[in-house]
Amino acid sequence: MPYWAHFDKEKGTKQELQEHLRSVAGEARDRVTPNVKFKDIPLPTIKKIVYWMGYFHDLGKYTDYFQKYLTENKNSPYKNHAHISACCLYSFLLDRVLDLPGSMHKKVLAFIIYLCVRRHHGSLSLEGLFKITQEEEMWKSLQFTAKNLADKGQKILRDTGLSEEISVDEFKKYFKIDLLRKDKKHFKFMPQYLNSGRIQDEQWFFLLIYLFSLLIDTDKLDSGGLKPTKVKNISPTQVSKYLSKKRTERVSNAGTALLNRREQARTTMLGVIENLTDEEIKNTRFFTLTAPTGIGKTLSSLQCALRLQERIKKVENYTPRIITAIPFINIIEQNKKEYEHVFENKLQLVVHHRLGDFSKRASFREEIPIDKALLEVESWEGDVILTTFVQLFQSIFTGNNRLLKKINKLAGSIVILDEAQAIPEKYMPLIGAVLQKISEFWGTRFILMTATQPKILEFGNLLLETGSIKSKEVPLLPDYKKYFVNLKRTKFIPLLEKRLDNEEFLSLFQDKWDGKKSVLIVVNTIKRSIELYRKIKELLEISSCSIPVYYLSTNIIPLKRREVIRNVKDKLDKKKPVILVSTQTIEAGVDLDFDMAFRDLAPLDSLIQTAGRVNREGKKGENLPVYIVQLESDNHYVYELTHRKTTLELLTKSETIEESQYGCLADEYYSSALKRGVSDQSKELWEEGILKLNFEMLKEFQLIENAGETADVFVEKDFNAAVLADAYEKLLKKEPLDHNLADHLSKILEYPVIKSGSRLSIFEIKALIRLIQAKMNDYIVQVRVSRLKGNKLIEFKNRGEADSFMYWIPPEQIDEYYDEETGFVSETGEAFIF
């Protein structure tokens, strides 16, 4: 009689347990990269640990109780398999595998592996492992299942193929649960030791999440019928080939001087990689790329990563994955297009963010159903990964199973952090420290890329208390300052003597604008942006000026935002004047090129980002103006006092600040931040969350501030929105989609939802819901919960009784609650987010 790991009678899918255990063990071991290194734990030991963790993780499935539950649906309190598997593995590792100095060191390591297996179907936590109220029942259950497994020892060893490795008597020894129960010092009290910091060592956190991630990732891929693929690489000359083609196409439009500067910078960067010795390649973990906007950092950094990948493959005999993390979702699409042009389908590119459309991945590979496409994307199973800061960092500072699943892919990889200055200052010490430890323990290499290098590693050193000692950084553009010195595209003109109300700003605007140039106006609150947009439109109508005025903020649905950006870009490309009033949304890598800008006071890096939307290619002349003003007290609502104060002090030193000085200004700005020291948030998350393995504390880490204080409002403004909402409701209620709805949905998703009338599995339903949610986002605005109180918005669940946390604007109430130009309308006039 075969023993099963997975068995779905209705779908006709099943997998033998022996096959699953062998596969997970072998695949997990083979995925440990050669530069993974922990203190006193050599690589061969890590590989052994991983192998046996994979072999034992589901050993408890051999019980009669689990097999009858799986094949006959007979429920039993003894069907649970993870805990008994963890106990058996713990005893086995101490007896056979862990040959380490120090008895406590050995016991801590064994306990961490026990924790990985015990929690592999849930979230990581030290909480509630040995609850007093449930302890007696827990030990009784373990003893019951242990006896069942021990009695079947010979059959299990024969089935798993381990009979030559482990004798029956030895196997039975590992199920002596009473010995574990009595071992209070090294087993039962271990959570308290780790939580209290009595055996404090940062390596335990990074070892724990690495091993846990490796186990659950390999387990889920194997259970889903997917085999991890070896990372492929291409020649870095693919980038040169693509750039050469682009240069030919753009030579008549772009300035030759700018193209030459880009080529010179790229050549310098590649030269740095070429000139490193093999020993330096082995030992260097951090590369920095500091360069002004418009220098071509996206493709240059990719080419450097591809060349570094080649050299690592030769020196260390493995091919590292390339992972690019970007702060903002709306930059991802343009990076994706550039990457795809370079790769020419020779590499598997995975794009992963919360709004990612993974149906394209399923369509591209016809043999893979939608649930497996989602599994691949969420597991970062690809040669190159393109993702967001949120996906990257929220998946490190968490105990969440689904988020942690992909984190093992960081080990041995090359990670490009684009726009690194977007990391909130309060988290820079924490992230700087974590990057250093990931590089040390996991062998990960980082390319930190920005126009204003924010000293992340120096912040990390403050937290780690390493003084002047720091990880060696190799600058890819050592002469970056000359690229700033030669820039004359823009200049800051601070007009900060007094705070301006709307009328005063309009007067200033009329004074500085000649009625012919394209203008960008960036303010700090949605309320202000709507007021100024309407007033400027009125002003132009009164003066019979036909120059179009556009509005952009998160108050309008993403579908409309993309339309606005397309329209504005079209006008700018045709050199037609246009005015755009926006919030900070415009700063996030939007490729628009204005003649001048006005910016409400913000931290320096935000001001420089706004300047990057003016005279981007330097073809409009020299020193085009970016006026810095203060609109009443708006910046108080958005930015911290220290950031505002430092920026004000730097800006008010001169009447004008030319672009060549931006780099020095940024250096002063971050030097001031360093003097302020380590933030309380970083210190607490490091000392309480990481050093004490307190995963509850890590929930405090929120890269996007106030994420929990906003509500999603779904605007059902057209036929596609209605189709998405109908399908979403039916799937949430587990109702079948009729063919008419399925056909419409397939057209919207560009993916055949129902194939040949087959039933959707629970995993396919979950994947489809995720895909629909990503598309529904086109119709969603986020509004602060505290300011929804005066509105009579309908909850989405009232639409069709599907359980959802969203609010809903039905078609018949669009005019009441949603303005086509400015977005969400509050009855109180205050339901805006900043």
Side-chain angles (χ1 to χ4, degrees), residues 20 24-25 28 31 50-58 89 113-121 209-222 405 408:
H20 177 59
V24 173
R31 289 166 65 187
V50 168
Y51 178 79
W52 289 115
M53 185 172 65
Y55 231 123
F56 277 70
H57 82 285
D58 274 352
L89 177 61
I113 301 157
Y114 156 86
L115 184 62
C116 288
V117 173
R118 180 170 173 184
R119 296 291 202 195
H120 80 271
H121 288 298
I209 65 171
Y210 173 66
L211 292 177
F212 184 73
S213 174
L214 194 56
L215 173 63
I216 61 175
D217 189 25
T218 313
D219 183 26
K220 287 176 182 177
L221 287 171
D222 188 71
K405 177 176 59 177
N408 70 92

mmCIF file of all heavy atoms in Angstrom, residues 20 24-25 28 31 50-58 89 113-121 209-222 405 408:
data_model
loop_
_atom_site.group_PDB
_atom_site.id
_atom_site.type_symbol
_atom_site.label_atom_id
_atom_site.label_comp_id
_atom_site.label_asym_id
_atom_site.label_seq_id
_atom_site.Cartn_x
_atom_site.Cartn_y
_atom_site.Cartn_z
ATOM 1 N N HIS A 20 7.878 12.742 -2.433
ATOM 2 C CA HIS A 20 7.846 14.134 -1.961
ATOM 3 C C HIS A 20 9.018 14.417 -1.014
ATOM 4 O O HIS A 20 9.710 15.437 -1.150
ATOM 5 C CB HIS A 20 6.514 14.395 -1.255
ATOM 6 C CG HIS A 20 6.398 15.773 -0.679
ATOM 7 N ND1 HIS A 20 6.491 16.922 -1.434
ATOM 8 C CD2 HIS A 20 6.204 16.192 0.615
ATOM 9 C CE1 HIS A 20 6.350 17.987 -0.657
ATOM 10 N NE2 HIS A 20 6.180 17.568 0.586
ATOM 11 N N VAL A 24 12.008 17.074 -1.913
ATOM 12 C CA VAL A 24 12.208 18.290 -1.111
ATOM 13 C C VAL A 24 13.610 18.289 -0.491
ATOM 14 O O VAL A 24 14.304 19.311 -0.490
ATOM 15 C CB VAL A 24 11.127 18.418 -0.017
ATOM 16 C CG1 VAL A 24 11.442 19.581 0.930
ATOM 17 C CG2 VAL A 24 9.753 18.626 -0.647
ATOM 18 N N ALA A 25 14.048 17.130 0.009
ATOM 19 C CA ALA A 25 15.374 17.032 0.618
ATOM 20 C C ALA A 25 16.472 17.370 -0.386
ATOM 21 O O ALA A 25 17.352 18.198 -0.111
ATOM 22 C CB ALA A 25 15.577 15.621 1.179
ATOM 23 N N ALA A 28 16.178 21.131 -1.887
ATOM 24 C CA ALA A 28 16.545 22.153 -0.901
ATOM 25 C C ALA A 28 18.057 22.178 -0.689
ATOM 26 O O ALA A 28 18.670 23.244 -0.651
ATOM 27 C CB ALA A 28 15.822 21.891 0.415
ATOM 28 N N ARG A 31 19.975 23.801 -3.512
ATOM 29 C CA ARG A 31 19.752 25.235 -3.695
ATOM 30 C C ARG A 31 20.547 26.088 -2.706
ATOM 31 O O ARG A 31 20.491 27.314 -2.756
ATOM 32 C CB ARG A 31 18.256 25.539 -3.578
ATOM 33 C CG ARG A 31 17.473 25.014 -4.777
ATOM 34 C CD ARG A 31 15.985 25.011 -4.527
ATOM 35 N NE ARG A 31 15.478 26.355 -4.365
ATOM 36 C CZ ARG A 31 14.222 26.631 -3.993
ATOM 37 N NH1 ARG A 31 13.391 25.658 -3.740
ATOM 38 N NH2 ARG A 31 13.808 27.867 -3.886
ATOM 39 N N VAL A 50 19.814 21.088 5.877
ATOM 40 C CA VAL A 50 18.753 21.354 4.908
ATOM 41 C C VAL A 50 18.225 20.044 4.314
ATOM 42 O O VAL A 50 17.015 19.852 4.153
ATOM 43 C CB VAL A 50 19.274 22.303 3.798
ATOM 44 C CG1 VAL A 50 18.308 22.355 2.630
ATOM 45 C CG2 VAL A 50 19.508 23.701 4.369
ATOM 46 N N TYR A 51 19.140 19.134 4.005
ATOM 47 C CA TYR A 51 18.750 17.850 3.424
ATOM 48 C C TYR A 51 17.841 17.068 4.376
ATOM 49 O O TYR A 51 16.760 16.613 3.994
ATOM 50 C CB TYR A 51 20.003 17.035 3.104
ATOM 51 C CG TYR A 51 19.714 15.659 2.545
ATOM 52 C CD1 TYR A 51 19.356 15.502 1.204
ATOM 53 C CD2 TYR A 51 19.811 14.533 3.351
ATOM 54 C CE1 TYR A 51 19.098 14.235 0.686
ATOM 55 C CE2 TYR A 51 19.553 13.268 2.839
ATOM 56 C CZ TYR A 51 19.198 13.128 1.501
ATOM 57 O OH TYR A 51 18.934 11.883 0.991
ATOM 58 N N TRP A 52 18.259 16.933 5.636
ATOM 59 C CA TRP A 52 17.474 16.152 6.583
ATOM 60 C C TRP A 52 16.196 16.883 6.993
ATOM 61 O O TRP A 52 15.173 16.245 7.273
ATOM 62 C CB TRP A 52 18.313 15.791 7.795
ATOM 63 C CG TRP A 52 19.364 14.763 7.472
ATOM 64 C CD1 TRP A 52 20.711 14.915 7.500
ATOM 65 C CD2 TRP A 52 19.123 13.419 7.027
ATOM 66 N NE1 TRP A 52 21.345 13.764 7.095
ATOM 67 C CE2 TRP A 52 20.395 12.817 6.803
ATOM 68 C CE3 TRP A 52 17.975 12.660 6.782
ATOM 69 C CZ2 TRP A 52 20.541 11.512 6.360
ATOM 70 C CZ3 TRP A 52 18.113 11.356 6.341
ATOM 71 C CH2 TRP A 52 19.370 10.784 6.135
ATOM 72 N N MET A 53 16.234 18.188 6.995
ATOM 73 C CA MET A 53 15.015 18.957 7.267
ATOM 74 C C MET A 53 13.971 18.658 6.193
ATOM 75 O O MET A 53 12.785 18.464 6.488
ATOM 76 C CB MET A 53 15.351 20.457 7.292
ATOM 77 C CG MET A 53 14.201 21.356 7.681
ATOM 78 S SD MET A 53 14.721 23.083 7.922
ATOM 79 C CE MET A 53 15.224 23.510 6.250
ATOM 80 N N GLY A 54 14.418 18.605 4.939
ATOM 81 C CA GLY A 54 13.509 18.267 3.850
ATOM 82 C C GLY A 54 12.994 16.840 3.941
ATOM 83 O O GLY A 54 11.826 16.557 3.673
ATOM 84 N N TYR A 55 13.857 15.918 4.371
ATOM 85 C CA TYR A 55 13.477 14.495 4.444
ATOM 86 C C TYR A 55 12.500 14.226 5.590
ATOM 87 O O TYR A 55 11.611 13.386 5.489
ATOM 88 C CB TYR A 55 14.718 13.615 4.617
ATOM 89 C CG TYR A 55 14.774 12.484 3.622
ATOM 90 C CD1 TYR A 55 15.867 12.324 2.779
ATOM 91 C CD2 TYR A 55 13.726 11.574 3.502
ATOM 92 C CE1 TYR A 55 15.925 11.296 1.847
ATOM 93 C CE2 TYR A 55 13.762 10.545 2.573
ATOM 94 C CZ TYR A 55 14.869 10.405 1.746
ATOM 95 O OH TYR A 55 14.903 9.399 0.830
ATOM 96 N N PHE A 56 12.667 14.961 6.702
ATOM 97 C CA PHE A 56 11.852 14.681 7.888
ATOM 98 C C PHE A 56 10.615 15.569 8.001
ATOM 99 O O PHE A 56 9.774 15.312 8.855
ATOM 100 C CB PHE A 56 12.707 14.864 9.146
ATOM 101 C CG PHE A 56 13.551 13.676 9.503
ATOM 102 C CD1 PHE A 56 14.639 13.305 8.728
ATOM 103 C CD2 PHE A 56 13.270 12.922 10.630
ATOM 104 C CE1 PHE A 56 15.433 12.227 9.059
ATOM 105 C CE2 PHE A 56 14.059 11.828 10.973
ATOM 106 C CZ PHE A 56 15.149 11.468 10.189
ATOM 107 N N HIS A 57 10.506 16.646 7.175
ATOM 108 C CA HIS A 57 9.488 17.663 7.456
ATOM 109 C C HIS A 57 8.061 17.118 7.433
ATOM 110 O O HIS A 57 7.177 17.631 8.120
ATOM 111 C CB HIS A 57 9.626 18.849 6.486
ATOM 112 C CG HIS A 57 8.996 18.632 5.148
ATOM 113 N ND1 HIS A 57 9.563 17.824 4.184
ATOM 114 C CD2 HIS A 57 7.836 19.102 4.612
ATOM 115 C CE1 HIS A 57 8.798 17.817 3.110
ATOM 116 N NE2 HIS A 57 7.744 18.578 3.344
ATOM 117 N N ASP A 58 7.799 16.097 6.624
ATOM 118 C CA ASP A 58 6.461 15.506 6.534
ATOM 119 C C ASP A 58 6.442 14.053 6.989
ATOM 120 O O ASP A 58 5.548 13.294 6.625
ATOM 121 C CB ASP A 58 5.939 15.586 5.087
ATOM 122 C CG ASP A 58 5.256 16.909 4.783
ATOM 123 O OD1 ASP A 58 5.044 17.696 5.717
ATOM 124 O OD2 ASP A 58 4.934 17.151 3.601
ATOM 125 N N LEU A 89 12.976 15.002 14.063
ATOM 126 C CA LEU A 89 14.130 15.625 13.424
ATOM 127 C C LEU A 89 15.074 16.218 14.464
ATOM 128 O O LEU A 89 16.297 16.105 14.342
ATOM 129 C CB LEU A 89 13.659 16.714 12.446
ATOM 130 C CG LEU A 89 14.759 17.511 11.749
ATOM 131 C CD1 LEU A 89 15.651 16.616 10.898
ATOM 132 C CD2 LEU A 89 14.151 18.622 10.887
ATOM 133 N N ILE A 113 15.775 24.502 13.923
ATOM 134 C CA ILE A 113 15.338 23.609 12.852
ATOM 135 C C ILE A 113 14.013 22.938 13.232
ATOM 136 O O ILE A 113 13.114 22.783 12.394
ATOM 137 C CB ILE A 113 16.431 22.563 12.542
ATOM 138 C CG1 ILE A 113 17.713 23.290 12.118
ATOM 139 C CG2 ILE A 113 15.983 21.613 11.446
ATOM 140 C CD1 ILE A 113 18.964 22.488 12.319
ATOM 141 N N TYR A 114 13.894 22.588 14.512
ATOM 142 C CA TYR A 114 12.612 22.060 15.041
ATOM 143 C C TYR A 114 11.492 23.071 14.769
ATOM 144 O O TYR A 114 10.395 22.713 14.316
ATOM 145 C CB TYR A 114 12.766 21.793 16.544
ATOM 146 C CG TYR A 114 11.489 21.792 17.336
ATOM 147 C CD1 TYR A 114 10.704 20.638 17.453
ATOM 148 C CD2 TYR A 114 11.059 22.940 18.003
ATOM 149 C CE1 TYR A 114 9.530 20.647 18.198
ATOM 150 C CE2 TYR A 114 9.898 22.968 18.740
ATOM 151 C CZ TYR A 114 9.126 21.812 18.845
ATOM 152 O OH TYR A 114 7.964 21.829 19.583
ATOM 153 N N LEU A 115 11.777 24.353 15.043
ATOM 154 C CA LEU A 115 10.778 25.407 14.846
ATOM 155 C C LEU A 115 10.376 25.523 13.376
ATOM 156 O O LEU A 115 9.191 25.684 13.055
ATOM 157 C CB LEU A 115 11.335 26.742 15.357
ATOM 158 C CG LEU A 115 10.398 27.943 15.332
ATOM 159 C CD1 LEU A 115 9.190 27.716 16.226
ATOM 160 C CD2 LEU A 115 11.144 29.212 15.767
ATOM 161 N N CYS A 116 11.348 25.439 12.466
ATOM 162 C CA CYS A 116 11.059 25.522 11.024
ATOM 163 C C CYS A 116 10.064 24.436 10.609
ATOM 164 O O CYS A 116 9.108 24.708 9.876
ATOM 165 C CB CYS A 116 12.341 25.355 10.208
ATOM 166 S SG CYS A 116 13.462 26.756 10.290
ATOM 167 N N VAL A 117 10.293 23.214 11.073
ATOM 168 C CA VAL A 117 9.424 22.104 10.669
ATOM 169 C C VAL A 117 8.077 22.177 11.378
ATOM 170 O O VAL A 117 7.025 21.975 10.763
ATOM 171 C CB VAL A 117 10.119 20.752 10.936
ATOM 172 C CG1 VAL A 117 9.164 19.585 10.685
ATOM 173 C CG2 VAL A 117 11.346 20.620 10.039
ATOM 174 N N ARG A 118 8.100 22.498 12.654
ATOM 175 C CA ARG A 118 6.823 22.566 13.386
ATOM 176 C C ARG A 118 5.907 23.632 12.799
ATOM 177 O O ARG A 118 4.690 23.452 12.740
ATOM 178 C CB ARG A 118 7.091 22.854 14.874
ATOM 179 C CG ARG A 118 5.781 22.927 15.657
ATOM 180 C CD ARG A 118 5.948 22.976 17.143
ATOM 181 N NE ARG A 118 4.651 23.217 17.776
ATOM 182 C CZ ARG A 118 4.477 23.385 19.075
ATOM 183 N NH1 ARG A 118 5.512 23.305 19.914
ATOM 184 N NH2 ARG A 118 3.260 23.618 19.567
ATOM 185 N N ARG A 119 6.486 24.753 12.383
ATOM 186 C CA ARG A 119 5.660 25.873 11.895
ATOM 187 C C ARG A 119 5.529 25.910 10.367
ATOM 188 O O ARG A 119 5.039 26.898 9.831
ATOM 189 C CB ARG A 119 6.280 27.196 12.358
ATOM 190 C CG ARG A 119 6.322 27.419 13.870
ATOM 191 C CD ARG A 119 4.946 27.611 14.449
ATOM 192 N NE ARG A 119 4.991 28.302 15.731
ATOM 193 C CZ ARG A 119 3.988 28.355 16.593
ATOM 194 N NH1 ARG A 119 2.860 27.730 16.308
ATOM 195 N NH2 ARG A 119 4.087 29.002 17.733
ATOM 196 N N HIS A 120 5.959 24.868 9.658
ATOM 197 C CA HIS A 120 6.063 25.029 8.201
ATOM 198 C C HIS A 120 4.724 25.153 7.476
ATOM 199 O O HIS A 120 4.689 25.488 6.303
ATOM 200 C CB HIS A 120 6.944 23.927 7.583
ATOM 201 C CG HIS A 120 6.288 22.601 7.368
ATOM 202 N ND1 HIS A 120 6.265 21.618 8.338
ATOM 203 C CD2 HIS A 120 5.663 22.070 6.282
ATOM 204 C CE1 HIS A 120 5.661 20.549 7.863
ATOM 205 N NE2 HIS A 120 5.280 20.795 6.620
ATOM 206 N N HIS A 121 3.614 24.917 8.182
ATOM 207 C CA HIS A 121 2.298 25.165 7.582
ATOM 208 C C HIS A 121 1.672 26.457 8.098
ATOM 209 O O HIS A 121 0.543 26.781 7.735
ATOM 210 C CB HIS A 121 1.349 23.996 7.846
ATOM 211 C CG HIS A 121 1.680 22.778 7.049
ATOM 212 N ND1 HIS A 121 1.659 22.763 5.672
ATOM 213 C CD2 HIS A 121 2.060 21.527 7.434
ATOM 214 C CE1 HIS A 121 2.008 21.560 5.239
ATOM 215 N NE2 HIS A 121 2.267 20.800 6.286
ATOM 216 N N ILE A 209 15.086 32.422 9.368
ATOM 217 C CA ILE A 209 14.215 32.768 8.241
ATOM 218 C C ILE A 209 14.742 32.187 6.929
ATOM 219 O O ILE A 209 13.959 31.881 6.024
ATOM 220 C CB ILE A 209 13.959 34.294 8.128
ATOM 221 C CG1 ILE A 209 15.232 35.080 7.802
ATOM 222 C CG2 ILE A 209 13.283 34.823 9.377
ATOM 223 C CD1 ILE A 209 14.959 36.549 7.471
ATOM 224 N N TYR A 210 16.059 31.997 6.833
ATOM 225 C CA TYR A 210 16.622 31.371 5.627
ATOM 226 C C TYR A 210 16.199 29.908 5.534
ATOM 227 O O TYR A 210 15.696 29.454 4.501
ATOM 228 C CB TYR A 210 18.139 31.490 5.623
ATOM 229 C CG TYR A 210 18.800 30.724 4.489
ATOM 230 C CD1 TYR A 210 18.607 31.107 3.163
ATOM 231 C CD2 TYR A 210 19.589 29.605 4.740
ATOM 232 C CE1 TYR A 210 19.193 30.398 2.113
ATOM 233 C CE2 TYR A 210 20.180 28.892 3.709
ATOM 234 C CZ TYR A 210 19.975 29.293 2.395
ATOM 235 O OH TYR A 210 20.550 28.585 1.362
ATOM 236 N N LEU A 211 16.385 29.147 6.620
ATOM 237 C CA LEU A 211 16.035 27.729 6.608
ATOM 238 C C LEU A 211 14.526 27.539 6.434
ATOM 239 O O LEU A 211 14.077 26.669 5.690
ATOM 240 C CB LEU A 211 16.501 27.052 7.896
ATOM 241 C CG LEU A 211 18.017 26.926 8.114
ATOM 242 C CD1 LEU A 211 18.303 26.293 9.459
ATOM 243 C CD2 LEU A 211 18.675 26.142 6.986
ATOM 244 N N PHE A 212 13.746 28.356 7.126
ATOM 245 C CA PHE A 212 12.283 28.275 7.030
ATOM 246 C C PHE A 212 11.828 28.554 5.602
ATOM 247 O O PHE A 212 11.016 27.823 5.029
ATOM 248 C CB PHE A 212 11.652 29.277 7.997
ATOM 249 C CG PHE A 212 10.146 29.215 8.066
ATOM 250 C CD1 PHE A 212 9.515 28.163 8.714
ATOM 251 C CD2 PHE A 212 9.371 30.213 7.502
ATOM 252 C CE1 PHE A 212 8.125 28.109 8.794
ATOM 253 C CE2 PHE A 212 7.987 30.170 7.568
ATOM 254 C CZ PHE A 212 7.355 29.113 8.224
ATOM 255 N N SER A 213 12.372 29.617 5.019
ATOM 256 C CA SER A 213 12.020 29.987 3.651
ATOM 257 C C SER A 213 12.395 28.893 2.665
ATOM 258 O O SER A 213 11.620 28.534 1.773
ATOM 259 C CB SER A 213 12.711 31.302 3.270
ATOM 260 O OG SER A 213 12.499 31.619 1.913
ATOM 261 N N LEU A 214 13.587 28.356 2.820
ATOM 262 C CA LEU A 214 14.061 27.303 1.926
ATOM 263 C C LEU A 214 13.160 26.070 2.004
ATOM 264 O O LEU A 214 12.818 25.460 0.988
ATOM 265 C CB LEU A 214 15.497 26.941 2.292
ATOM 266 C CG LEU A 214 16.301 26.100 1.304
ATOM 267 C CD1 LEU A 214 16.354 26.743 -0.071
ATOM 268 C CD2 LEU A 214 17.719 25.892 1.838
ATOM 269 N N LEU A 215 12.747 25.716 3.218
ATOM 270 C CA LEU A 215 11.877 24.549 3.396
ATOM 271 C C LEU A 215 10.502 24.774 2.782
ATOM 272 O O LEU A 215 10.022 23.962 1.978
ATOM 273 C CB LEU A 215 11.742 24.222 4.886
ATOM 274 C CG LEU A 215 10.727 23.117 5.217
ATOM 275 C CD1 LEU A 215 11.133 21.789 4.591
ATOM 276 C CD2 LEU A 215 10.556 22.973 6.732
ATOM 277 N N ILE A 216 9.838 25.866 3.160
ATOM 278 C CA ILE A 216 8.455 26.051 2.689
ATOM 279 C C ILE A 216 8.404 26.326 1.189
ATOM 280 O O ILE A 216 7.461 25.913 0.511
ATOM 281 C CB ILE A 216 7.720 27.160 3.485
ATOM 282 C CG1 ILE A 216 8.406 28.525 3.330
ATOM 283 C CG2 ILE A 216 7.594 26.777 4.950
ATOM 284 C CD1 ILE A 216 7.642 29.667 3.995
ATOM 285 N N ASP A 217 9.415 26.993 0.669
ATOM 286 C CA ASP A 217 9.459 27.269 -0.764
ATOM 287 C C ASP A 217 9.598 25.975 -1.560
ATOM 288 O O ASP A 217 8.823 25.697 -2.494
ATOM 289 C CB ASP A 217 10.621 28.221 -1.069
ATOM 290 C CG ASP A 217 10.617 28.727 -2.499
ATOM 291 O OD1 ASP A 217 9.542 28.757 -3.117
ATOM 292 O OD2 ASP A 217 11.692 29.085 -3.002
ATOM 293 N N THR A 218 10.577 25.150 -1.182
ATOM 294 C CA THR A 218 10.798 23.887 -1.885
ATOM 295 C C THR A 218 9.598 22.959 -1.714
ATOM 296 O O THR A 218 9.179 22.278 -2.657
ATOM 297 C CB THR A 218 12.068 23.197 -1.359
ATOM 298 O OG1 THR A 218 13.131 24.149 -1.286
ATOM 299 C CG2 THR A 218 12.497 22.062 -2.274
ATOM 300 N N ASP A 219 9.029 22.944 -0.519
ATOM 301 C CA ASP A 219 7.859 22.109 -0.223
ATOM 302 C C ASP A 219 6.676 22.496 -1.105
ATOM 303 O O ASP A 219 6.027 21.641 -1.728
ATOM 304 C CB ASP A 219 7.503 22.282 1.259
ATOM 305 C CG ASP A 219 6.334 21.401 1.692
ATOM 306 O OD1 ASP A 219 6.103 20.348 1.061
ATOM 307 O OD2 ASP A 219 5.651 21.763 2.667
ATOM 308 N N LYS A 220 6.402 23.799 -1.203
ATOM 309 C CA LYS A 220 5.234 24.257 -1.964
ATOM 310 C C LYS A 220 5.437 24.075 -3.468
ATOM 311 O O LYS A 220 4.493 23.740 -4.187
ATOM 312 C CB LYS A 220 4.925 25.710 -1.621
ATOM 313 C CG LYS A 220 4.324 25.847 -0.233
ATOM 314 C CD LYS A 220 4.102 27.284 0.179
ATOM 315 C CE LYS A 220 3.541 27.345 1.596
ATOM 316 N NZ LYS A 220 3.361 28.710 2.097
ATOM 317 N N LEU A 221 6.646 24.315 -3.926
ATOM 318 C CA LEU A 221 6.912 24.106 -5.356
ATOM 319 C C LEU A 221 6.739 22.631 -5.728
ATOM 320 O O LEU A 221 6.124 22.299 -6.742
ATOM 321 C CB LEU A 221 8.325 24.572 -5.713
ATOM 322 C CG LEU A 221 8.554 26.088 -5.755
ATOM 323 C CD1 LEU A 221 10.030 26.399 -5.900
ATOM 324 C CD2 LEU A 221 7.775 26.733 -6.890
ATOM 325 N N ASP A 222 7.265 21.750 -4.882
ATOM 326 C CA ASP A 222 7.142 20.320 -5.166
ATOM 327 C C ASP A 222 5.680 19.872 -5.070
ATOM 328 O O ASP A 222 5.204 19.111 -5.917
ATOM 329 C CB ASP A 222 8.001 19.516 -4.191
ATOM 330 C CG ASP A 222 8.052 18.049 -4.564
ATOM 331 O OD1 ASP A 222 8.708 17.719 -5.581
ATOM 332 O OD2 ASP A 222 7.431 17.222 -3.863
ATOM 333 N N LYS A 405 8.323 32.894 2.070
ATOM 334 C CA LYS A 405 8.586 31.808 1.119
ATOM 335 C C LYS A 405 9.691 32.134 0.127
ATOM 336 O O LYS A 405 10.533 31.300 -0.184
ATOM 337 C CB LYS A 405 7.271 31.494 0.382
ATOM 338 C CG LYS A 405 7.367 30.446 -0.691
ATOM 339 C CD LYS A 405 5.980 30.153 -1.272
ATOM 340 C CE LYS A 405 5.343 31.388 -1.861
ATOM 341 N NZ LYS A 405 4.030 31.086 -2.487
ATOM 342 N N ASN A 408 14.540 33.037 0.645
ATOM 343 C CA ASN A 408 15.756 32.244 0.434
ATOM 344 C C ASN A 408 16.407 32.551 -0.904
ATOM 345 O O ASN A 408 17.594 32.298 -1.089
ATOM 346 C CB ASN A 408 15.430 30.748 0.542
ATOM 347 C CG ASN A 408 14.597 30.247 -0.621
ATOM 348 O OD1 ASN A 408 15.118 29.770 -1.625
ATOM 349 N ND2 ASN A 408 13.281 30.334 -0.497
#
